[in-house]
Amino acid sequence: MAITTSLGKPREERRVLTVLFADLVGFTERADRLDPEEVGTFLHGYHDRLRSELERHGGTVEKFIGDAVVALFGAPIAHEDDPERAVRAALAIRDAMSSDADGLRVRIGVNSGEVLVRLDADINAGEGMVAGDVVNTAARLQTAAPVNGVLVGESTYRATALAIEYRPTEPLALKGKSAPVPAWEAVRRRSPAEFASRESSATPFVGRAGDVRRVLTALASARELGSPQMVTVVGDPGIGKSRLVVEVAAAVERDGHPVTWRRGRSLAYGESVSFLALGEMVKSQAEIFENDGADQAEAKLSRAVAELVSNDRERTWLLRYLRPLVGLSGEAEVAERSGEMFAAWRRFLEEAAAVQPLGLIFEDIHWADDGLLDFIGELAHLARGQLLILCTARPELLQRRPAWADETRDRTTLTLETLDDEDALRLLSGLLDPATPDRLRRSLLERAGGNPFYAEQCARMLIERRSTDDQVLPDSVQAIIGARLDALAPSEKGLLHSAAVIGREFWLSAVSAVGEIDGVVVEGQLARLEEMDLIRRDRQSTVEGESQFTFQHVLVRDVAYGQVTHARRAEKHRRAAEWLHGLAPDRAGDRAEMLGRHYLNALRFARLAKQDTLAFADPARKALREAGTRAWWLGSHAAAADFCRAALELTVTNAPDRPELLFQYGRALFWAEEAGLDEMTAAVDAMEAQGDAETAAVAASWASKAFWM
């Protein structure tokens, strides 16, 4: 039985996730020749193999259907790189099946998009977790995939094109789709070096010139002093850490003083085995590729060591400790001799740096295991040679290891802040067409909030879709923010959902009312969210005696709001309107438009959720009409028309005030769209039928003037 909320409703959210659908090829024919118990034994082992691979990459198996599996990446917990996790898992399954002794083969489809997720579904009891067309399309892609092939949809491809090598295919005619569906076949994952070389540099690089100079200064010191310099670049997701590294390498190349760059990336899942990033660097130094067999890898590693060290005994010693880093079997006691192991690795890197200055780029070390962090620290302290150790990390690293940020002569920490408006506008101007309306530029500027990645992704989405809808949020941005929100306790995330319905600014008692949460509990949770830098407490409040808060980033609010289901949005908007009306009922006209907006949204989402709107129809109608009147007098004719239209929809045909409301709607529509004459004429006729000749005459006069304008 699924656990439900205190209201007896399941915990549901709208969110973007990735679905993997895999199916064995030819299993039905094989099963026909087997005893039922043999089939059961076979399927049990096959399911265990797939589950292990999927969970290793952070996926959740939603269900097995015979020899098919449906796995989710992004539920119940979201990660910012769920599409990449899913494709890597698919490639791992494909490779495992390719070498299967029984000759098993698979077809795999991977697709990303928005779904409805039931977070408290009991998968073991057969309850489905997701609903949406994304699942169906993943199944269709699987059917169309080649034997031992992986096909992905467009959203998955766009999210992973830098990290995965793809082979283009012809658009597919899939069952149930009105138009051909674009698809790509995944070939292999790229190495960190390849990943870096493909990172886009078309986006203008702004606001970080001083940070580049500081890294170059550290490199110059390593050259001059012949001793390591370590620089750690710290910042939030999307702030520009990786781009800074790219620009440093480009500046060194322009300078004409060559540096050998070796790059390794720590992952938050699956392949994030101990010392993964260091292993990538050693593979790069030895030119070992992912598809090299063990003999090839052994030969390349031996050759790389021989080129650096002439002493046979020392070569043997180095190889003994380097083999495990590149995936070759090592001696059992190696793991128990970390001091000697670190010394061997350090020696190998020192010898590489003796040939030419060596730059070691350790990316995302906030995800690194403690062993790698210990080694990096020891390398910076004990190594000799022209060595630049350049690390990137999120602020979580400094929470985990506060001393990492201690500044010394050979250790520097750069904290990247958001871009100021001038630099952010320069970045956007470099991406957008010169003819882009200034309104759209300013809107994107506000939404990006100085985060270069957010700005770039929002701008590129508008360009690719040839759209002017600046409110649509790219999947890549949703993924980053969604992962942060999933790190919260369910009650904290629920509080953010309520706050997001209220708006970017919100108040303690409003959140309490909208979320139906005790005020004392809300206060503690808001303090926690403030500590996490998701919201901030404003110095002044527009509600006397009330604490006012603001979302630190408008996109955090947008993602939180987007996760709320239509049914709950309707309910929360209605409560927000009731709270707002209760502040000062005799001044409701002053807040008429805010009230109208909340009721308008409550109506819209209640209808989308197939809910009854009678419960709040009367107060909504009154608020919407007042909002229409206020918007008209303020010259917001389109808004006035929207409010009046919504009020009319809630007004019965024989209501005494319907003719006047219909006239207001027609008048607003005329000024907004040069339409509405039919509505005004109908309103005049209705007024005359009611015997209100005076009002009808005024309305008729106005309609007549509008006709000749």
Side-chain angles (χ1 to χ4, degrees):
M1 196 72 162
I3 301 171
T4 56
T5 64
S6 58
L7 296 176
K9 300 176 182 177
R11 285 182 55 220
E12 293 180 329
E13 282 184 6
R14 300 170 66 93
R15 60 168 67 190
V16 174
L17 56 69
T18 300
V19 178
L20 181 152
F21 202 110
D23 195 14
L24 279 177
V25 177
F27 174 73
T28 302
E29 291 80 0
R30 175 178 294 203
D32 282 343
R33 300 190 298 269
L34 298 177
D35 180 82
E37 291 188 23
E38 291 179 303
V39 173
T41 301
F42 169 81
L43 283 178
H44 182 73
Y46 167 70
H47 290 170
D48 285 347
R49 290 171 66 185
L50 261 62
R51 185 186 296 276
S52 174
E53 200 63 67
L54 292 164
E55 292 181 349
R56 187 169 75 89
H57 286 82
T60 298
V61 174
E62 187 197 35
K63 64 184 114 179
F64 286 106
I65 311 168
D67 58 325
V69 61
V70 180
L72 312 176
F73 291 79
I77 301 297
H79 311 88
E80 65 193 57
D81 56 349
D82 280 314
E84 183 181 340
R85 291 169 181 253
V87 179
R88 282 176 175 255
L91 291 173
I93 292 169
R94 178 203 67 182
D95 294 344
M97 293 296 104
S98 297
S99 58
D100 185 83
D102 294 328
L104 293 177
R105 300 292 181 264
V106 292
R107 290 189 176 94
I108 305 175
V110 183
N111 194 39
S112 305
E114 189 174 39
V115 299
L116 179 67
V117 180
R118 184 171 179 180
L119 296 172
D120 53 9
D122 187 345
I123 295 175
N124 294 326
E127 293 182 345
M129 180 176 280
V130 300
D133 184 60
V134 174
V135 182
N136 298 331
T137 303
R140 301 282 186 259
L141 288 169
Q142 173 270 315
T143 302
V147 175
N148 259 22
V150 179
L151 279 188
V152 309
E154 185 170 9
S155 293
T156 305
Y157 168 75
R158 291 188 182 281
T160 60
L162 289 177
I164 306 294
E165 179 184 331
Y166 285 100
R167 182 183 299 122
T169 69
E170 291 296 322
L172 304 172
L174 300 183
K175 183 179 179 181
K177 297 293 182 180
S178 58
V181 175
W184 289 260
E185 183 180 357
V187 178
R188 65 181 182 90
R189 72 179 184 88
R190 301 185 192 278
S191 69
E194 289 177 293
F195 186 96
S197 69
R198 291 178 59 86
E199 285 184 323
S200 172
S201 58
T203 304
F205 183 67
V206 298
R208 308 288 192 216
D211 298 306
V212 171
R213 285 195 295 271
R214 290 185 66 182
V215 179
L216 294 177
T217 297
L219 176 59
S221 296
R223 281 194 179 112
E224 294 167 7
L225 301 175
S227 61
Q229 293 286 315
M230 185 169 84
V231 180
T232 304
V233 183
V234 178
D236 290 329
I239 206 68
K241 302 183 293 295
S242 296
R243 179 61 187 274
L244 179 66
V245 170
V246 170
E247 293 300 323
V248 167
V252 170
E253 186 175 349
R254 289 192 300 268
D255 187 46
H257 298 292
V259 170
T260 300
W261 295 104
R262 300 297 178 218
R263 185 169 181 154
R265 177 183 171 209
S266 295
L267 302 177
Y269 61 95
E271 296 171 42
S272 189
V273 295
S274 298
F275 305 106
L276 172 68
L278 181 61
E280 296 285 359
M281 294 175 179
V282 174
K283 290 176 187 176
S284 179
Q285 180 70 26
E287 298 182 347
I288 297 173
F289 298 106
E290 294 300 325
N291 57 347
D292 283 341
D295 291 343
Q296 285 178 291
E298 180 73 44
K300 288 183 175 182
L301 183 63
S302 298
R303 183 168 60 249
V305 171
E307 289 173 352
L308 297 176
V309 177
S310 58
N311 184 282
D312 288 343
R313 184 173 180 180
E314 189 172 11
R315 284 204 301 265
T316 301
W317 176 66
L318 288 177
L319 286 169
R320 177 185 186 188
Y321 290 102
L322 290 172
R323 283 193 184 98
L325 280 180
V326 300
L328 298 172
S329 58
E331 298 179 31
E333 67 267 23
V334 164
E336 301 173 7
R337 304 171 68 175
S338 61
E340 189 173 344
M341 182 169 62
F342 280 15
W345 295 346
R346 186 171 70 247
R347 173 72 171 148
F348 178 74
L349 296 173
E350 286 175 335
E351 290 299 326
V355 177
Q356 183 171 285
L358 181 63
L360 302 178
I361 302 171
F362 289 93
E363 287 199 277
D364 295 333
I365 62 170
H366 52 279
W367 282 327
D369 56 277
D370 287 332
L372 180 59
L373 294 179
D374 291 341
F375 173 72
I376 294 172
E378 186 175 300
L379 183 68
H381 182 63
L382 298 178
R384 298 291 178 266
Q386 302 176 74
L387 189 62
L388 174 67
I389 305 168
L390 183 54
C391 306
T392 69
R394 296 183 187 171
E396 297 94 282
L397 172 70
L398 305 185
Q399 297 171 2
R400 183 174 160 194
R401 296 204 173 192
W404 196 276
D406 292 348
E407 296 274 342
T408 64
R409 188 171 62 88
D410 53 6
R411 296 180 68 148
T412 303
T413 300
L414 302 180
T415 301
L416 301 188
E417 304 292 347
T418 54
L419 299 176
D420 60 31
D421 283 354
E422 182 179 351
D423 284 331
L425 197 55
R426 284 172 55 207
L427 186 152
L428 285 171
S429 296
L431 291 169
L432 297 172
D433 186 283
T436 302
D438 187 61
R439 176 203 63 79
L440 190 55
R441 292 173 188 268
R442 291 291 171 185
S443 177
L444 289 177
L445 179 68
E446 180 184 1
R447 285 168 65 76
N451 185 298
F453 178 77
Y454 295 174
E456 177 186 1
Q457 294 296 302
C458 289
R460 289 195 184 283
M461 188 182 68
L462 291 182
I463 294 168
E464 291 167 0
R465 297 187 181 182
R466 298 179 182 179
S467 169
T468 57
D469 184 1
D470 58 331
Q471 299 304 305
V472 178
L473 201 56
D475 290 352
S476 53
V477 175
Q478 290 196 57
I480 289 176
I481 298 173
R484 287 196 71 192
L485 299 187
D486 270 2
L488 302 173
S491 59
E492 293 169 341
K493 186 161 67 168
L495 184 147
L496 275 187
H497 288 167
S498 295
V501 168
I502 297 165
R504 188 172 184 188
E505 290 82 29
F506 54 93
W507 300 263
L508 191 153
S509 66
V511 175
S512 178
V514 171
E516 294 188 321
I517 315 169
D518 181 82
V520 176
V521 175
V522 170
E523 191 166 15
Q525 290 178 337
L526 288 173
R528 162 78 174 148
L529 295 171
E530 193 174 4
E531 289 176 4
M532 298 183 69
D533 208 30
L534 289 167
I535 63 173
R536 66 173 183 269
R537 188 185 300 263
D538 296 336
R539 297 180 64 181
Q540 293 182 322
S541 175
T542 58
V543 179
E544 185 178 6
E546 279 278 357
S547 296
Q548 179 174 306
F549 298 83
T550 300
F551 280 94
Q552 281 282 30
H553 201 294
V554 66
L555 294 184
V556 173
R557 184 261 170 186
D558 291 350
V559 172
Y561 184 80
Q563 291 182 338
V564 185
T565 62
H566 289 163
R568 287 201 170 95
R569 280 189 214 177
E571 192 175 346
K572 290 178 183 294
H573 274 296
R574 178 179 61 80
R575 291 183 197 149
E578 291 171 350
W579 174 85
L580 192 61
H581 184 270
L583 287 179
D586 57 342
R587 286 185 56 223
D590 190 45
R591 294 181 294 277
E593 286 191 74
M594 292 176 64
L595 275 168
R597 288 293 176 196
H598 279 301
Y599 276 124
L600 204 58
N601 282 321
L603 283 166
R604 180 159 65 95
F605 290 116
R607 286 167 180 154
L608 285 172
K610 311 298 183 187
Q611 290 183 331
D612 186 8
T613 60
L614 289 176
F616 57 97
D618 285 342
R621 191 180 79 88
K622 181 179 179 182
L624 289 166
R625 181 170 180 178
E626 289 179 351
T629 301
R630 180 175 173 80
W632 164 260
W633 287 115
L634 291 174
S636 300
H637 301 124
D642 287 343
F643 288 132
C644 290
R645 182 189 299 111
L648 276 169
E649 290 174 357
L650 296 176
T651 305
V652 296
T653 305
N654 59 351
D657 63 342
R658 183 178 176 84
E660 187 175 349
L661 180 57
L662 182 61
F663 175 77
Q664 290 178 353
Y665 170 57
R667 182 178 60 178
L669 200 61
F670 177 81
W671 282 98
E673 304 175 16
E674 295 187 357
L677 287 175
D678 290 343
E679 286 78 3
M680 285 189 281
T681 301
V684 171
D685 292 343
M687 290 174 186
E688 290 175 344
Q690 285 182 343
D692 189 355
E694 184 177 347
T695 305
V698 173
S701 174
W702 206 101
S704 178
K705 291 177 183 178
F707 179 80
W708 292 106
M709 287 181 69

